[in-house]
Amino acid sequence: MFRIPTILDADELLDKAFGRAKKITTGTPKTRAVGKLMAVKKTLDTTLDKYVRAFPSFDSLHPFYRELIDITIGMDKLKKSLGAVDWARKKVNTISNKAIKKAKRAEDAIQVLKETYGRISSVLYQINDHLVFLENARRTLRKTPSIDMETPTVILAGYPNVGKSSLLKLLSSAEPVIASYPFTTKGLVLGHVEIDERYEKRKIQFIEAPGLLDRPHEKRNDIERQGITALRYLPDLVVFIVDASLHCGYTLESQLNLLEEIRDEFDVEVIAVENKADITGGATDFLKVSCTTGHGVAQLKREIMEKLELL
Ligand SMILES: Nc1nc2c(ncn2[C@@H]2O[C@H](COP(=O)(O)OP(=O)(O)OP(=O)(O)O)[C@@H](O)[C@H]2O)c(=O)[nH]1
Ligand SMILES: [Mg+2]
């Protein structure tokens, strides 16, 4: 969702800046040295400034994204790294400006150039960890789903491994990874459905929340926390999936406790379904579905549409 350019590390930035300077080959040693210093300054000033501006302005973000980014990246670290990059940009500018003046007066302008390259390199190496952190943050932000706050939103929630991704695939355009181990889904997965009404096309967003365990919030891992954040800010409806076959590896009791907690904690309508009805069925009085045979899925779709008042 957030488009940010690749963040180069210190070595790559220095290669880029010194590479530009290397192309300046004409003039006296003095004018060459001054030209090179100006090229290095300009390249680093522009590039570092672009990095700082490319990250979203966090205070104006929707609270859902603020909370999500805090979990997946860490807001304080992110702000600190952006601050460090801005500090380096200013420092490089000051060093370059002084060096340009000095080179103009100096006997040996090339010597000034060499010393300045050394000082600029050391500033960039000082912030290398921040640059690496920002490049990782960029990759995480790129994967962050782009959620439309105006579109009706259904969250698929439940214990790990119960079939949330399988159901998301049947209900929407999403192509999630499905596997027989828990916590396959490690972030929020978004899918869409378009419904043709007589006069207009309506959209529904489906979001798979990563698997949740029935345990206190402080004990939850960062994968679960993303699901809680989504539940807090986004759903018009929750489809809670239970695996009564217990192939998921968790007891029915824990799954039902989680369902009760979600009902208590979030002020949202919940449809509970029992998945994997091809293996068992009858353990609960919820709507029975099977992602393997497709049994019950059409009825679930109808119930979702009714609850969202789209039928
Ligand atoms: N027999 C049967 N197996 C199913 C059904 N639905 C899902 N499975 C299997 O259950 C396993 C978990 O399915 P997923 O859809 O990945 O479950 P998930 O809830 O998204 O899992 P996590 O993302 O790890 O929390 C996979 O091996 C699926 O093939 C079903 O209706 N019947
Ligand atoms: Mg999944």
Side-chain angles (χ1 to χ4, degrees):
M1 127 144 204
F2 301 100
R3 297 201 160 270
I4 295 165
T6 308
I7 310 287
L8 303 177
D9 68 14
D11 276 323
E12 292 165 330
L13 277 170
L14 291 169
D15 276 354
K16 180 173 169 174
F18 297 160
R20 294 262 168 88
K22 221 174 183 173
K23 291 194 183 129
I24 298 169
T25 51
T26 54
T28 64
K30 195 181 282 284
T31 54
R32 259 199 336 261
V34 170
K36 283 172 193 286
L37 287 169
M38 283 161 76
V40 169
K41 175 188 154 187
K42 183 162 179 253
T43 309
L44 293 175
D45 184 45
T46 313
T47 312
L48 296 178
D49 189 52
K50 186 175 69 181
Y51 292 172
V52 174
R53 285 169 193 277
F55 281 84
S57 142
F58 300 108
D59 298 331
S60 60
L61 277 179
H62 189 283
F64 162 72
Y65 281 116
R66 274 213 298 270
E67 209 171 290
L68 188 69
I69 292 172
D70 202 24
I71 296 166
T72 55
I73 298 173
M75 201 57 104
D76 287 348
K77 275 192 182 167
L78 192 50
K79 284 187 176 163
K80 203 168 158 207
S81 290
L82 289 171
V85 170
D86 206 44
W87 167 83
R89 183 184 66 79
K90 289 182 186 142
K91 189 84 186 162
V92 167
N93 278 343
T94 314
I95 293 171
S96 309
N97 287 338
K98 279 190 188 153
I100 289 165
K101 274 191 200 153
K102 197 171 166 191
K104 283 181 181 164
R105 292 192 314 259
E107 294 262 308
D108 188 352
I110 299 296
Q111 181 58 27
V112 175
L113 180 69
K114 278 188 189 156
E115 283 166 16
T116 310
Y117 275 19
R119 295 189 64 195
I120 289 177
S121 303
S122 109
V123 169
L124 289 188
Y125 288 130
Q126 263 188 71
I127 62 153
N128 192 48
D129 287 352
H130 292 293
L131 292 166
V132 172
F133 177 84
L134 289 174
E135 171 57 13
N136 288 328
R138 176 187 79 87
R139 290 182 194 174
T140 304
L141 283 173
R142 200 179 46 184
K143 284 185 275 174
T144 302
S146 181
I147 289 157
D148 178 5
M149 300 297 168
E150 308 301 318
T151 302
T153 301
V154 181
I155 294 196
L156 305 180
Y159 252 70
N161 221 10
V162 296
K164 300 178 300 298
S165 294
S166 305
L167 195 57
L168 179 71
K169 192 176 159 144
L170 289 178
L171 291 174
S172 78
S173 60
E175 292 286 342
V177 181
I178 295 167
S180 61
Y181 51 84
F183 291 115
T184 307
T185 304
K186 294 183 176 59
L188 303 173
V189 187
L190 179 64
H192 292 100
V193 181
E194 277 208 347
I195 315 147
D196 261 322
E197 280 186 298
R198 200 176 305 192
Y199 300 114
E200 55 174 345
K201 275 193 175 5
R202 302 284 302 267
K203 257 191 178 174
I204 306 179
Q205 289 174 132
F206 283 89
I207 298 171
E208 177 187 356
L212 289 166
L213 303 178
D214 169 38
R215 57 179 173 179
H217 193 59
E218 318 81 71
K219 294 240 166 83
R220 292 209 155 109
N221 60 33
D222 286 350
I223 301 178
E224 293 173 272
R225 282 169 199 250
Q226 294 177 55
I228 297 290
T229 298
L231 283 166
R232 182 162 21 245
Y233 291 104
L234 304 178
D236 296 288
L237 176 67
V238 170
V239 173
F240 188 90
I241 301 155
V242 160
D243 174 358
S245 78
L246 308 185
H247 277 59
C248 65
Y250 304 97
T251 65
L252 185 58
E253 190 193 0
S254 325
Q255 297 182 58
L256 295 177
N257 280 343
L258 178 66
L259 171 60
E260 280 323 301
E261 268 170 45
I262 288 179
R263 284 206 157 112
D264 287 348
E265 190 169 339
F266 303 103
D267 181 24
V268 62
E269 278 233 58
V270 179
I271 300 178
V273 300
E274 185 182 322
N275 187 31
K276 310 195 187 177
D278 52 295
I279 323 178
T280 31
T284 69
D285 56 4
F286 305 152
L287 173 66
K288 310 275 179 293
V289 296
S290 163
C291 294
T292 309
T293 65
H295 172 85
V297 175
Q299 190 180 339
L300 175 60
K301 277 186 190 167
R302 261 198 313 279
E303 287 191 19
I304 290 171
M305 303 273 279
E306 269 168 23
K307 293 274 193 221
L308 295 176
E309 293 174 2
L310 293 171
L311 266 191

